[in-house]
Amino acid sequence: MSQKNSAELCTLLVKEIYGDVSSKVTQVLLQFGRLPLPLIVRYSKLPEKIVKQTLVVLIQQHLVCHALQKEGQRMVTYYECDWLRMYYLLESGRIIQVTEERYGEEGASIINNFLQLGHARVSDFLAAYGTSTLRQARVNGAVNENLKIAAINTLKAKLGELYKARFLVQVKEQHMRPHTDLVNDIKADLRRQFSKETAVESRLNKLILEHLPQRLRDIEVGDVSPMSGMKRKGGGAPEIQIRPIKRQKKAADLSYIGVGLGDDDDEYEIDEEIVLRVNYDKFLVLFRNDELVALAKDRMGETTSLVYREVLKAMESKVLKCRDPMMELSEEQGKKLKVSTLELSRTFPDSIELEGTIADAPKAKGLNGSSSKSKKRKVESDEEPDAMDLDSDDDDFDISEDEDEDDMNPKAKLKKRRMAIMKQHLELLAQSSIKFVRLESTKGAGEWSVNYKELMAYMRQLEIEKIVEERFGIKATRLLRICDEKGKLEEKQLAAAALTTDKDIRAELGRLHAAGHLFLQELPRTADRAASRTVYLWYFDREKARQSVLHDIYKGMSRAIQRIESEAALRSTLIAKVNRTDIAEGEEGSVLSTTERKEWERWRQIQAHMWAQVERMDRQVLILRDF
Amino acid sequence: MDPALVVSIADTIHDTCSEDPDKYYEIPHLQTMDDRITNLEILRTVINHMLAHKLIKAMQRDEESVFRIVDRELAERLQQLSAEESLLFTHIDSAGTEGIWTKTLKIRTNLHQTTITKSLKSLEAKKFIKCIKSVKHPTRKIYMLYHLTPDIGLTGGPWFTDAQLDDEFISALKDAIERYIYEKSFPRGTTAEHFPPGWQGYASLEGIHRWVADKGLTDVAMELADIKALVDVLIFDRRVERVGVRGYKSIRGTIKLTGRGVLGRPLEERIKNGLTETPCGHCPVKDICEDDGPINARNCIYWADWLKQII
């Protein structure tokens, strides 16, 4: 069973957070797939009442989906696990951390609560939260009614921000249904819709398949129009007005940190009737950006990576999820997500020092030396993306405002200079063998796009290579890369490309083959398929390699978590002692002997190290699977 | 016909042809060399005489007979060969710089194995031929005329020394080239991290080629393609990347020039990753490791070692 490792990991994660009973139920569901209640009860050997309660919790957390199905006379509810959601339980820590960086403690605590609740109606959430803040206030001393109101108002605003930035999304009924059922529903719906148009079955099927991805994505992503889920303060649903929407859009274009609520902030607030949950897709986009910046830092150095970070940030609000098929489709149609140098320079933080990060070309002219003639030449040469600019100091952008350079005040001059250097960094990113960005047009001193699909394919490959290199050494990795680049190769050709003899690489190839990294294609030259008359071609299959590595990582993660459990079991008395409720927090030291204290310290270190290891493997999983 | 006349004509032809010994001569051409050749009959007798005395070699070109002159001294020596030796010599000669395998010789000449072995030995002793090694077929005995240098297909090009791939030579040259590329990859003496975009000063294939030749790093002549093969390996190793159309550039962080030109290789840093740092990434028994199996996370000795190491 190929999913054995991932299923094991998910069960462990559920156990870690929701305890043994939940993990037993999920284990049954993962092992047997879609099941009705009686069968879950039978397989899990748990009382029906407990299973039911557990299912409620798991459904609330979106870890289990359910579907009602007619079977004969009666309706049967089937339950199914959403294993990816279980995996994402691991992400909680990072998600809260990222939110805190962006929205402060309040935002982090909102997200934290939603992570714990699974999903919640805004009004309920506010009510519950209100009382809890109230309680806090009481603990601190006097009860302050105003504080409560203020807290709720800021809370609501924060919720609105998070919702606008799609860190929280609306939950619809469809989100509770298993994927297959959803697909079947949509197919049935489309069939009804198109059956009037055509009676030919094959054409009908084709039409259905054509529309399916879009519909699925609509449900997955939800309503992305700026006003959905918002309402006018103190009034009903928002009246659709042209003006605010337009403004909204513009604001969203320009601001990338947080949300573009702009002036309308006061007029609109989040609709209290909607139900929200944490949008993992959006957080994954952020994590992916982090990885890309890290790669850029490794390859291009600190400053360039900071410029790159700004590029990715500028696009962030419009990237709804990683591996978005619709985005890839619209890119094929030429509608790429672009950001111009000019836009970037407006929001580029002044704290990043750009001066002196790029060496001067020997032919460089002075800063003020560019004549109108050379400017014109530049604009022309800029029109072909390949034409690289040799003169570094020369500002080669053409802003619509006709600024005469001599009249510019020093501040504007500095700004222009910074923009020129920034553009050079962008060009360097485009010039690298990993195409971090692509030049799309010359509008706004150069418009840039990011090809996530290619970049992530490269990153996945790097990740796999790292693992192979650690396991088998540089020579084996070289062979793997040659196969990856050149396709299917005979032993001799491989040896020639690697500048070694076939004798030398034979052992390496054998080991790579055994580990499932390289594969063999037999090509018999005669009908008898004699081994001596057969050509053997080596090849590398990215997808297969990815899968096998992924399962290795799942297994590694499971083992790490299991080891933590067993280490904890070894110290159960100690842990019980420390966790005694009658000891106040921070006072544990007083009841422990010296040896116990030492052991406790060691146990905490073990935990820290092993969870850190799990986290590092999780990073690899995200790169290989989700980004 | 008078033998003396034949010898005399043969001498004239030989002398005339010797002026350009590498040329192939056709019959009409030979005919014009001496006035005494009034008809083809005379020429035929003369050619036969010369062939018998090994003064010329008969060859085929486009279904036409052509002739090549043989050095008198060599002809003299050749004449002393036995019939078998002579036959073998002809075949080995015709194989040119590619040489000929003893088995092929046997098929072509239809001689007995012992005769062939004996004759080849004698030819080799007289320094008419030599035995060479082929990269492709290291076990085969391949013969070639003594004075020829083996073809590149046999020697395997500049990377081979005595039909053996010279690993040390390759890696030394590779390191040297990598350093050359590195030195041109990043600006020095400033705080700047990069050359400007579109920089033309990165190492190019031609530049590397010229540098290798000028520095006299090798005795063997390097073709541009040989250099490219080396640089390609550097690219496969992800140590060098292409920039622009012709440029090659070191990937950042692959080399640190420590002290006076010592190559520091912080590669280990670059390949660190979560999986292989946990014991499971290297585990030799990972395939039989199961939660309820004989090998599991609880009794795993690798995890125990790991924990001992980190804390």
Side-chain angles (χ1 to χ4, degrees), chain A residues 298-310:
Chain A
D298 183 40
R299 280 297 180 88
M300 313 291 299
E302 178 91 35
T303 320
T304 317
S305 79
L306 289 176
V307 174
Y308 195 43
R309 193 184 68 192
E310 296 303 314

Side-chain angles (χ1 to χ4, degrees), chain A residues 117-163:
Chain A
L117 292 169
H119 61 251
R121 192 181 301 278
V122 175
S123 54
D124 296 345
F125 183 81
L126 288 175
Y129 211 85
T131 48
S132 74
T133 39
L134 192 64
R135 199 177 304 135
Q136 247 172 18
R138 203 172 271 147
V139 168
N140 289 341
V143 185
N144 191 340
E145 268 309 297
N146 291 336
L147 190 74
K148 184 184 161 191
I149 305 294
I152 283 189
N153 278 342
T154 47
L155 203 65
K156 212 167 163 186
K158 272 268 163 6
L159 268 176
E161 275 181 45
L162 286 165
Y163 174 70

Side-chain angles (χ1 to χ4, degrees), chain A residues 4 297 299-300 304 356-357 359 389 427 431 433 465 471 478 481 555 559 563 566 605 613 616 620, chain B residues 191-194 196-198 236-238 241 252 273-275 277-278 281 286 289-290 297-298 300 311:
Chain A
K4 200 182 113 205
K297 189 174 170 187
R299 280 297 180 88
M300 313 291 299
T304 317
T357 49
D389 211 343
E427 279 170 354
Q431 177 193 284
S433 61
E465 281 170 11
R471 280 179 178 169
R478 189 188 299 164
R481 283 186 194 126
K555 196 162 188 173
R559 295 294 171 268
R563 185 74 190 196
S566 78
Q605 277 192 20
Q613 215 53 40
R616 286 165 55 102
Q620 289 180 293
Chain B
T191 51
E193 290 174 320
H194 306 284
F236 285 132
D237 285 354
R238 296 222 196 278
E241 63 180 344
R252 201 172 161 279
N273 64 78
L275 176 64
E277 261 178 35
T278 42
K286 68 173 176 355
C289 180
E290 295 300 335
R298 275 171 297 284
C300 178
I311 299 163

